[in-house]
Amino acid sequence: MKQKLVIGTRGSKLALWQAQHIAACLRERYPEIAIELKHMVTTGDRILDVPLAKIGGKGLFTKELEVAMLSGEIDLAVHSLKDMPTELPEGLVLAAVTDRVDPGDALISPQYKTLDNLPANARVGTSSLRRKAQLLNARPDLTIVDLRGNLDTRLKKLTTEKLDAILLAVAGLRRLGWDEHITQVLPQDICLPAVGQGALAIEAREDDPETLALLAFLNHEPTRQATLAERTFLAEVEGGCQIPIGVYGEIKATGQLSLQAVIMSPDGQEAVHDAIDGSPADASLLGHTLAVRMLENGGREILAKLFAREM
């Protein structure tokens, strides 16, 4: 058995919490193995003054960690699954997907508390086109302000940039023990989450079977199946951070996998909604089927207009 595992992690408070959480799980399971953390800086951490959509979207927070993994510098990396591209570099695999925490989006507005209570033309901060489009669909009067930075930085900007509200992932706030900042969890009929939101992904080398075997206990199969459907949907519509797509899969009490999604124009004025149910064993097929159906029912036209504007 290996004597040491090195976990690569970004240096933000949330990334460190996630890596330390997985390290604690590994130490408890394998007390005889030394677990080390190696801090790394990613492109997404360095570029903080440009919207994510303009600098490449997904992969900005994973590339440097993946290079270190492939070189053998680290054995595994812990990511927020929503930050991971649908296609991994050759030689790397998802070793585990953890049990999902609340996948929702949190509105933080100390003065107004809820989306309905925000005044006309209220200034709302978010770095996500997905959140922006869905907010504008519900409240076209809002003024959306781009918001970058780690969670603590974005919370401070609520005051320093005189915003009426900001949107953040519920899971990140709860992991850091900052639940008290949440004034409303947006219902999914207003804001569907990002692909994989709320779940952690453990990435490792495909040719390292010993590490893969050690990590297997961290995998939560229902979450893996649900997020596989989401990631297949995203891959089919060729979406990423730069495309306003919300999608959420869950295993219902009946045992069926339910998948719902929305494709929107950035201004929220055009939207295609749909949903599908089926066996969790068919997760990938469900994601593919729903994506094709939504593209054929207006989604392709929305995305074509978006791509035309970016050319």
Side-chain angles (χ1 to χ4, degrees), residues 30 82 106 125 127 174 186 199 245 289:
Y30 309 111
K82 69 183 179 65
S127 59
R174 292 201 166 146
L186 294 179
I245 291 172
T289 301

Side-chain angles (χ1 to χ4, degrees), residues 216-286:
F217 79 99
L218 293 164
N219 189 64
H220 185 253
E221 194 59 23
T223 301
R224 185 163 195 139
Q225 291 169 321
T227 55
L228 172 59
E230 296 170 14
R231 285 169 62 79
T232 304
F233 175 92
L234 185 64
E236 186 64 34
V237 299
E238 298 180 343
C241 284
Q242 69 277 20
I243 296 177
I245 291 172
V247 57
Y248 179 59
E250 64 175 331
I251 310 294
K252 298 287 193 178
T254 60
Q256 289 288 91
L257 171 55
S258 175
L259 184 69
Q260 55 181 319
V262 63
I263 299 173
M264 279 191 176
S265 60
D267 62 6
Q269 297 310 296
E270 297 179 83
V272 176
H273 297 264
D274 204 348
I276 194 170
D277 296 302
S279 168
D282 296 327
S284 185
L285 177 61
L286 291 171

Side-chain angles (χ1 to χ4, degrees), residues 149-168:
N150 297 326
L151 281 185
D152 45 339
T153 301
R154 284 183 271 172
L155 283 168
K156 289 174 185 172
K157 286 183 177 181
L158 180 61
T159 301
T160 60
E161 299 197 7
K162 297 179 178 172
L163 301 173
D164 296 298
I166 62 174
L167 283 181
L168 297 171

